[in-house]
Protein backbone atom coordinates (compact mmCIF):
# COMPACT_ATOMS: atom_id res chain seq x y z
CA UNK A 1 0.00 0.00 0.00
CA UNK A 2 2.90 2.34 0.74
CA UNK A 3 4.43 1.63 -2.66
CA UNK A 4 1.08 2.20 -4.35
CA UNK A 5 0.78 5.51 -2.49
CA UNK A 6 4.24 6.59 -3.67
CA UNK A 7 3.43 5.62 -7.28
CA UNK A 8 0.11 7.50 -7.11
CA UNK A 9 1.76 10.68 -5.77
CA UNK A 10 4.48 10.46 -8.42
CA UNK A 11 1.87 10.11 -11.17
CA UNK A 12 -0.13 13.08 -9.84
CA UNK A 13 3.09 15.12 -9.82
CA UNK A 14 3.64 14.27 -13.49
CA UNK A 15 0.05 15.19 -14.38
CA UNK A 16 0.39 18.50 -12.53
CA UNK A 17 3.71 19.34 -14.21
CA UNK A 18 2.27 18.81 -17.72
CA UNK A 19 -1.33 19.93 -17.23
CA UNK A 20 -1.64 22.65 -14.61
CA UNK A 21 -0.91 26.37 -14.82
CA UNK A 22 -2.33 28.70 -12.17
CA UNK A 23 -2.53 31.51 -14.75
CA UNK A 24 -4.85 29.54 -17.05
CA UNK A 25 -8.61 29.40 -16.26
CA UNK A 26 -9.78 25.91 -15.34
CA UNK A 27 -12.16 25.87 -18.31
CA UNK A 28 -9.16 26.23 -20.65
CA UNK A 29 -7.04 23.51 -19.13
CA UNK A 30 -5.81 20.89 -21.58
CA UNK A 31 -3.91 17.77 -20.63
CA UNK A 32 -2.45 14.84 -22.58
CA UNK A 33 -3.88 12.76 -19.71
CA UNK A 34 -7.47 13.92 -20.28
CA UNK A 35 -8.45 10.65 -21.94
CA UNK A 36 -7.13 8.70 -18.92
CA UNK A 37 -8.30 10.91 -16.11
CA UNK A 38 -11.50 12.26 -17.60
CA UNK A 39 -12.10 15.97 -17.99
CA UNK A 40 -14.28 16.36 -14.87
CA UNK A 41 -11.74 14.54 -12.70
CA UNK A 42 -8.95 16.68 -14.16
CA UNK A 43 -11.00 19.80 -13.47
CA UNK A 44 -11.45 18.77 -9.83
CA UNK A 45 -7.72 18.05 -9.55
CA UNK A 46 -6.83 21.49 -10.93
CA UNK A 47 -9.32 23.14 -8.56
CA UNK A 48 -7.68 21.29 -5.66
CA UNK A 49 -4.19 22.35 -6.77
CA UNK A 50 -5.31 25.95 -7.06
CA UNK A 51 -6.84 25.88 -3.57
CA UNK A 52 -3.66 24.46 -2.06
CA UNK A 53 -1.14 26.66 -3.90
CA UNK A 54 -0.07 28.47 -0.73
CA UNK A 55 0.64 25.30 1.27
CA UNK A 56 2.33 23.71 -1.78
CA UNK A 57 4.71 26.66 -2.02
CA UNK A 58 5.55 26.36 1.70
CA UNK A 59 6.14 22.61 1.30
CA UNK A 60 8.45 23.20 -1.68
CA UNK A 61 10.49 25.72 0.29
CA UNK A 62 10.70 23.34 3.28
CA UNK A 63 11.76 20.55 0.95
CA UNK A 64 14.67 22.68 -0.31
CA UNK A 65 15.88 23.13 3.25
CA UNK A 66 16.12 19.39 3.95
CA UNK A 67 19.68 18.22 4.43
CA UNK A 68 21.35 14.87 3.94
CA UNK A 69 18.41 13.48 1.97
CA UNK A 70 18.28 10.92 -0.86
CA UNK A 71 20.13 12.47 -3.79
CA UNK A 72 19.68 9.90 -6.60
CA UNK A 73 16.56 11.42 -8.14
CA UNK A 74 14.25 8.73 -9.46
CA UNK A 75 16.78 5.96 -8.88
CA UNK A 76 15.11 3.93 -6.15
CA UNK A 77 16.75 2.16 -3.21
CA UNK A 78 16.03 -1.30 -4.74
CA UNK A 79 17.76 -0.15 -7.94
CA UNK A 80 20.82 0.94 -5.96
CA UNK A 81 20.81 -2.41 -4.14
CA UNK A 82 20.56 -4.37 -7.40
CA UNK A 83 23.43 -2.43 -8.99
CA UNK A 84 25.60 -2.95 -5.89
CA UNK A 85 24.78 -6.69 -5.86
CA UNK A 86 25.84 -7.10 -9.49
CA UNK A 87 29.10 -5.21 -8.91
CA UNK A 88 30.08 -6.74 -5.55
CA UNK A 89 28.33 -10.11 -5.40
CA UNK A 90 26.48 -9.28 -2.17
CA UNK A 91 23.74 -7.00 -0.92
CA UNK A 92 24.81 -3.64 0.52
CA UNK A 93 24.49 -2.88 4.22
CA UNK A 94 22.35 0.04 5.33
CA UNK A 95 25.47 2.14 5.90
CA UNK A 96 26.56 1.46 2.32
CA UNK A 97 23.06 2.30 1.03
CA UNK A 98 23.17 5.57 2.93
CA UNK A 99 26.54 6.44 1.44
CA UNK A 100 25.38 5.55 -2.08
CA UNK A 101 22.09 7.43 -1.88
CA UNK A 102 23.59 10.62 -0.40
CA UNK A 103 26.18 11.14 -3.14
CA UNK A 104 25.66 13.86 -5.74
CA UNK A 105 26.22 13.05 -9.40
CA UNK A 106 26.63 16.80 -10.08
CA UNK A 107 29.49 16.91 -7.56
CA UNK A 108 31.26 13.92 -9.03
CA UNK A 109 30.08 11.48 -6.39
CA UNK A 110 30.83 13.71 -3.39
CA UNK A 111 28.43 13.81 -0.39
CA UNK A 112 25.38 15.93 -1.19
CA UNK A 113 25.86 18.36 1.70
CA UNK A 114 27.45 18.97 5.11
CA UNK A 115 24.75 16.95 6.86
CA UNK A 116 25.56 13.88 4.76
CA UNK A 117 29.26 14.30 5.60
CA UNK A 118 28.43 14.57 9.30
CA UNK A 119 26.44 11.33 9.29
CA UNK A 120 29.15 9.54 7.31
CA UNK A 121 31.68 10.56 9.97
CA UNK A 122 29.36 9.44 12.78
CA UNK A 123 28.78 6.07 11.14
CA UNK A 124 32.49 5.55 10.46
CA UNK A 125 33.22 6.35 14.10
CA UNK A 126 30.51 3.94 15.25
CA UNK A 127 31.97 1.16 13.09
CA UNK A 128 35.46 1.71 14.51
CA UNK A 129 34.09 1.72 18.07
CA UNK A 130 32.30 -1.57 17.46
CA UNK A 131 35.39 -3.16 15.89
CA UNK A 132 37.44 -2.42 19.01
CA UNK A 133 35.29 -4.89 20.97
CA UNK A 134 35.32 -7.59 18.29
CA UNK A 135 37.79 -10.41 17.61
CA UNK A 136 40.80 -9.60 15.49
CA UNK A 137 40.11 -10.03 11.81
CA UNK A 138 36.43 -9.02 12.04
CA UNK A 139 35.39 -7.21 8.86
CA UNK A 140 33.81 -3.76 9.05
CA UNK A 141 30.62 -4.86 7.28
CA UNK A 142 30.00 -7.43 10.03
CA UNK A 143 29.29 -4.62 12.50
CA UNK A 144 27.54 -2.24 10.11
CA UNK A 145 24.03 -3.06 11.34
CA UNK A 146 24.91 -2.54 15.00
CA UNK A 147 26.82 0.66 14.18
CA UNK A 148 23.88 1.97 12.15
CA UNK A 149 21.56 1.35 15.11
CA UNK A 150 24.02 3.06 17.47
CA UNK A 151 23.75 6.29 15.49
CA UNK A 152 20.05 6.26 14.53
CA UNK A 153 18.50 4.19 17.33
CA UNK A 154 15.98 1.36 16.96
CA UNK A 155 13.51 1.31 14.09
CA UNK A 156 10.12 2.96 14.27
CA UNK A 157 7.12 0.70 13.84
CA UNK A 158 6.18 0.13 10.21
CA UNK A 159 9.41 1.25 8.52
CA UNK A 160 13.11 0.53 8.19
CA UNK A 161 15.50 3.39 7.47
CA UNK A 162 17.39 3.38 4.15
CA UNK A 163 15.35 0.54 2.64
CA UNK A 164 12.65 2.54 0.85
CA UNK A 165 8.87 2.28 1.03
CA UNK A 166 7.29 -0.99 2.14
CA UNK A 167 10.18 -2.44 4.19
CA UNK A 168 9.00 -3.54 7.66
CA UNK A 169 11.10 -4.52 10.72
CA UNK A 170 9.31 -7.89 10.86
CA UNK A 171 10.43 -8.60 7.26
CA UNK A 172 13.99 -7.30 7.49
CA UNK A 173 14.73 -8.56 11.02
CA UNK A 174 12.40 -11.59 11.38
CA UNK A 175 14.53 -13.46 13.92
CA UNK A 176 15.02 -10.47 16.20
CA UNK A 177 11.35 -9.52 16.07
CA UNK A 178 10.23 -13.14 16.65
CA UNK A 179 12.38 -13.43 19.76
CA UNK A 180 11.42 -9.90 20.80
CA UNK A 181 15.14 -9.29 21.36
CA UNK A 182 15.11 -6.44 18.85
CA UNK A 183 13.19 -4.28 21.30
CA UNK A 184 13.92 -6.02 24.62
CA UNK A 185 14.97 -4.08 27.71
CA UNK A 186 18.61 -5.14 27.71
CA UNK A 187 19.16 -4.24 24.06
CA UNK A 188 17.16 -1.06 24.51
CA UNK A 189 19.41 0.25 27.28
CA UNK A 190 22.67 -0.75 25.58
CA UNK A 191 21.52 0.84 22.32
CA UNK A 192 20.26 3.92 24.14
CA UNK A 193 23.63 4.36 25.83
CA UNK A 194 25.46 4.16 22.51
CA UNK A 195 22.93 6.45 20.82
CA UNK A 196 23.35 9.08 23.54
CA UNK A 197 27.11 8.88 23.11
CA UNK A 198 26.85 9.50 19.39
CA UNK A 199 24.36 12.31 19.94
CA UNK A 200 27.02 14.06 22.00
CA UNK A 201 29.53 13.48 19.20
CA UNK A 202 26.97 14.78 16.72
CA UNK A 203 26.48 18.01 18.67
CA UNK A 204 30.24 18.51 19.01
CA UNK A 205 30.79 18.00 15.28
CA UNK A 206 27.98 20.44 14.53
CA UNK A 207 29.60 23.07 16.77
CA UNK A 208 32.98 22.50 15.14
CA UNK A 209 31.49 22.95 11.66
CA UNK A 210 29.71 26.14 12.72
CA UNK A 211 32.97 27.53 14.11
CA UNK A 212 34.76 26.76 10.82
CA UNK A 213 32.02 28.47 8.80
CA UNK A 214 31.95 31.59 11.02
Amino acid sequence: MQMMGVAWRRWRTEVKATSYDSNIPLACVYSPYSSWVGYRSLERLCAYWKATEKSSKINRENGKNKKGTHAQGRTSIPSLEDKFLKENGRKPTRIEIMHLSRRSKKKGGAPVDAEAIRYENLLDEAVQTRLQDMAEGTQAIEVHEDAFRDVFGTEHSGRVRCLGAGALPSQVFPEQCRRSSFYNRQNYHSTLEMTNKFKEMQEQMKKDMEMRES
Side-chain angles (χ1 to χ4, degrees):
M1 291 299 292
Q2 287 178 339
M3 294 174 73
M4 287 175 65
V6 170
W8 167 237
R9 287 193 296 273
R10 185 177 295 156
W11 188 77
R12 275 193 312 180
T13 300
E14 188 174 337
V15 173
K16 185 176 182 180
T18 58
S19 311
Y20 177 69
D21 187 336
S22 58
N23 299 316
I24 297 177
L26 295 180
C28 300
V29 168
Y30 166 77
S31 169
Y33 296 98
S34 296
S35 59
W36 292 7
V37 182
Y39 182 76
R40 291 200 176 276
S41 296
L42 181 64
E43 191 176 35
R44 285 197 295 271
L45 263 178
C46 290
Y48 169 77
W49 287 327
K50 192 168 187 66
T52 57
E53 270 185 356
K54 185 177 180 180
S55 59
S56 294
K57 184 178 180 181
I58 293 172
N59 290 337
R60 282 196 299 273
E61 292 301 318
N62 290 338
K64 291 177 183 177
N65 294 329
K66 284 184 178 179
K67 297 178 180 179
T69 54
H70 187 281
Q72 299 300 306
R74 293 198 175 191
T75 304
S76 65
I77 295 294
S79 296
L80 288 175
E81 285 184 310
D82 186 59
K83 183 180 178 182
F84 187 96
L85 177 62
K86 289 177 180 176
E87 293 175 351
N88 299 277
R90 64 172 177 84
K91 286 188 175 183
T93 66
R94 288 199 287 169
I95 288 181
E96 289 170 329
I97 291 173
M98 190 160 187
H99 288 350
L100 289 170
S101 62
R102 270 72 177 174
R103 299 274 171 168
S104 172
K105 294 178 182 178
K106 294 180 180 178
K107 296 181 180 179
V112 67
D113 56 25
E115 190 77 356
I117 295 173
R118 186 161 65 89
Y119 276 118
E120 283 194 10
N121 291 336
L122 284 171
L123 289 166
D124 289 343
E125 182 69 26
V127 169
Q128 294 307 314
T129 301
R130 283 279 176 179
L131 285 174
Q132 291 174 6
D133 301 327
M134 303 297 289
E136 188 177 348
T138 302
Q139 299 299 310
I141 60 169
E142 295 178 44
V143 299
H144 271 201
E145 186 55 46
D146 289 330
F148 189 95
R149 204 174 301 133
D150 289 338
V151 175
F152 292 102
T154 53
E155 300 305 318
H156 296 291
S157 177
R159 57 168 291 219
V160 179
R161 295 179 184 90
C162 289
L163 293 188
L168 303 175
S170 59
Q171 296 171 330
V172 182
F173 312 106
E175 288 301 319
Q176 292 93 329
C177 291
R178 191 176 300 122
R179 296 194 307 265
S180 298
S181 62
F182 192 62
Y183 297 105
N184 71 15
R185 194 171 185 81
Q186 182 180 355
N187 282 354
Y188 171 77
H189 285 295
S190 61
T191 300
L192 183 62
E193 184 181 346
M194 293 292 290
T195 301
N196 288 336
K197 178 181 176 182
F198 283 104
K199 279 183 178 178
E200 292 175 9
M201 292 170 52
Q202 198 173 2
E203 290 299 322
Q204 187 59 48
M205 290 176 68
K206 188 175 181 181
K207 289 177 182 177
D208 292 343
M209 292 182 71
E210 288 174 352
M211 288 178 65
R212 291 196 199 100
E213 292 173 356
S214 61

